[in-house]
Amino acid sequence: EALMEFITPACDDPKKPLQVLQDIHKFVYQHLDGEVLWAASMPCAMGDETSIPIGKYGTSNSGKMKSIYRLGLGHRYGRFMQTIAGVHYNFSMPMSFWQKLHEFEGAVEPPSKDFISAGYLSLIRNFRRTSWIIPYLFGASPAICESYLQGKKSHLEQLVPGTVYGPYATSLRLGDLGYSNNAQATLNITYNCIDGYIQGLENAIRTPEPLYDKIGVLVDGEYRQLNSNLLQIENEYYSNVRPKRVSLSGERPTKALQRAGIEYVEIRVLDLNIFDPVGISSEQSEFMDCLLIHNLLTESPAITAREESEIHENKRRMVDHGRHPNLLLIHDNREISMHSWARKLFTELTLVAQMLDKSGNTNNYSTTIAKLSEWIERPEMTFSGRIVDEIKSRGDGFYSLAMDYSKRHAKSFKQQPLSAT
């Protein structure tokens, strides 16, 4: 397959996943034959689509289904999308937390699956309201290789020959050039209740889409896609956050949620951190924990149709113009300064950081929040600001920058191979 997927186990030690990622990278580099792992989210030096391989998962029914699903993605959106990489950040709270929260609300019986699911959906709604802050801080795809456009017109400008960018862009990966699906704009997927979320996805995987019907399903004895519905399977729904539960063998994701409720949330908004060898830093992890706990503990009313449109517009503005000094976002049906909203958010995150530091006998969280708060008024310190400035100063384009970081990380891992223990 075009992309490697590195998976860490669930841990209650926030440092452990990053240590595991280090070990996985070391192991992989012991087995790569002269290749390097590309350090950026967006690909480069793109040729013909047919050169991008479809993942092969064996001859079992499950393996064949996975390959056909990806073949269908290629027919629907182009194979270039399958070369885009990101970090998925999974987050959950221990049962002891849900027990205490239940007691705090006056209950005496153990928390039910519905109570826990409602809590995670509350987190998800608030995350959707505040997730624009993540591409501002950590968006790392403000510029892309011109070959990715394949001659198509875009809103981007030339940064240096061979590289195009948005002057104030943060994460083009999250915009129309990345993982997006305009056909999904018609889907009525709600996060206001678990039954509504499940029903929305169930409807999508059963609703025919004429555009995909033209592709065909079984053509000349070969499958082109699993089906011609709006979604082939639930995972095709492109969202920045997903409620999740580990499925039983052969169990669909929605059926797992229906059976036992939400077990964790999957955050899908992080670009690969080109500056860090494993693609995500401890500071990013500390910030994400603060933000997600803030989202969980903050009042979270249902999202209306009006607010839904605000969330989508704020994402668009942040992706395309996030570092603009006068950027306005929409909050409660009025435009406000991104900087003023960010300052208010960081004031609240400081309280969460202090709580986590007290719990873990550390000062890491408070230090991280204090450091990142300085980036609100200094966009040149953000990942996207640093990348654009580096390309400008080097003058040799996105490809050379990303390749240099990729080789630098490769050299580091090769110099510290995985130990026997």
Side-chain angles (χ1 to χ4, degrees):
E1 192 173 22
L3 297 179
M4 303 288 283
E5 184 174 6
F6 298 160
I7 304 174
T8 62
C11 307
D12 56 12
D13 177 357
K15 296 180 181 179
K16 185 66 175 177
L18 298 179
Q19 294 170 352
V20 173
L21 273 179
Q22 287 275 354
D23 289 341
I24 294 174
H25 279 76
K26 293 176 185 177
F27 175 83
V28 167
Y29 268 109
Q30 289 178 351
H31 295 82
L32 287 182
D33 184 16
E35 293 184 302
V36 297
L37 297 173
W38 187 249
S41 275
M42 296 300 286
C44 209
M46 304 299 290
D48 187 83
E49 275 198 347
T50 58
S51 66
I52 300 169
I54 296 295
K56 295 181 174 62
Y57 300 90
T59 57
S60 68
N61 287 338
S62 174
K64 290 178 179 177
M65 190 200 81
K66 290 179 180 179
S67 292
I68 295 169
Y69 166 62
R70 284 160 176 78
L71 188 64
L73 294 179
H75 283 298
R76 292 176 175 213
Y77 320 118
R79 291 193 187 182
F80 277 17
M81 282 182 65
Q82 295 180 50
T83 65
I84 300 172
V87 175
H88 291 176
Y89 195 89
N90 294 340
F91 178 88
S92 64
M93 296 295 283
M95 184 55 69
S96 58
F97 166 82
W98 297 112
Q99 181 66 51
K100 289 294 183 183
L101 183 62
H102 211 217
E103 293 172 1
F104 180 78
E105 296 185 0
V108 292
E109 70 277 5
S112 66
K113 69 172 186 177
D114 291 337
F115 176 82
I116 295 173
S117 291
Y120 278 126
L121 286 173
S122 177
L123 180 160
I124 287 172
R125 290 193 297 274
N126 279 335
F127 177 79
R128 298 186 69 228
R129 293 175 170 116
T130 59
S131 59
W132 52 266
I133 192 67
I134 297 174
Y136 175 76
L137 298 170
F138 307 131
S141 51
I144 62 173
C145 187
E146 196 167 16
S147 64
Y148 181 82
L149 298 176
Q150 295 287 289
K152 298 176 183 176
K153 291 184 178 180
S154 77
H155 62 284
L156 303 178
E157 303 175 14
Q158 187 177 80
L159 178 56
V160 297
T163 296
V164 293
Y165 82 127
Y168 299 106
T170 59
S171 176
L172 298 177
R173 180 184 75 95
L174 297 175
D176 292 340
L177 294 173
Y179 259 99
S180 63
N181 182 345
N182 292 329
Q184 293 184 13
T186 61
L187 297 181
N188 184 27
I189 307 294
T190 177
Y191 296 95
N192 291 335
C193 66
I194 187 66
D195 289 339
Y197 176 79
I198 291 172
Q199 189 59 52
L201 281 181
E202 290 282 351
N203 290 340
I205 62 176
R206 288 177 171 80
T207 301
E209 166 55 47
L211 183 64
Y212 301 152
D213 190 52
K214 292 179 181 179
I215 296 171
V217 177
L218 186 62
V219 179
D220 297 330
E222 297 289 336
Y223 278 96
R224 291 187 173 182
Q225 54 186 338
L226 293 174
N227 54 63
S228 59
N229 297 331
L230 268 173
L231 304 179
Q232 297 175 90
I233 58 176
E234 295 97 325
N235 285 346
E236 191 175 339
Y237 178 52
Y238 299 134
S239 174
N240 288 344
V241 55
R242 288 176 177 170
K244 299 285 291 243
R245 168 162 288 279
V246 175
S247 302
L248 301 176
S249 178
E251 185 180 38
R252 291 195 357 249
T254 50
K255 297 303 181 185
L257 290 175
Q258 208 165 34
R259 169 179 56 83
I262 301 172
E263 186 178 14
Y264 64 97
V265 294
E266 179 188 60
I267 307 302
R268 301 157 54 84
V269 74
L270 285 166
D271 285 349
L272 289 181
N273 179 354
I274 195 172
F275 305 109
D276 192 282
V278 299
I280 180 172
S281 68
S282 58
E283 287 182 341
Q284 288 178 277
S285 177
E286 289 154 3
F287 175 83
M288 292 299 298
D289 288 349
C290 287
L291 179 65
L292 292 169
I293 290 175
H294 170 276
N295 293 157
L296 178 60
L297 298 179
T298 302
E299 184 180 357
S300 183
I303 294 178
T304 63
R306 174 193 58 77
E307 190 178 18
E308 186 71 39
S309 66
E310 291 181 0
I311 289 170
H312 284 284
E313 177 62 12
N314 285 340
K315 174 190 171 185
R316 186 195 67 79
R317 293 185 185 188
M318 180 53 66
V319 164
D320 291 336
H321 310 290
R323 286 180 290 109
H324 194 287
N326 300 317
L327 179 66
L328 297 176
L329 298 179
I330 309 174
H331 185 50
D332 288 338
N333 208 29
R334 62 188 180 91
E335 288 191 322
I336 65 170
S337 162
M338 183 278 287
H339 295 85
S340 64
W341 190 354
R343 285 192 293 268
K344 180 179 182 296
L345 178 60
F346 266 87
T347 297
E348 297 167 358
L349 291 177
T350 298
L351 300 177
V352 178
Q354 291 170 351
M355 178 178 64
L356 287 172
D357 281 337
K358 183 177 180 180
S359 174
N361 193 28
T362 179
N363 63 355
N364 293 347
Y365 293 96
S366 296
T367 300
T368 291
I369 295 302
K371 174 183 176 180
L372 295 179
S373 67
E374 297 178 2
W375 295 11
I376 298 172
E377 311 296 341
R378 300 188 62 187
E380 72 276 7
M381 298 182 71
T382 64
F383 287 1
S384 58
R386 289 171 59 188
I387 288 171
V388 169
D389 286 347
E390 280 200 38
I391 293 176
K392 285 181 177 179
S393 64
R394 293 165 56 109
D396 55 1
F398 167 68
Y399 174 83
S400 296
L401 175 79
M403 183 58 81
D404 281 354
Y405 273 105
S406 300
K407 289 181 176 179
R408 190 181 310 173
H409 299 333
K411 182 179 180 181
S412 173
F413 287 122
K414 290 175 181 177
Q415 288 176 343
Q416 44 174 337
L418 192 65
S419 67
T421 56

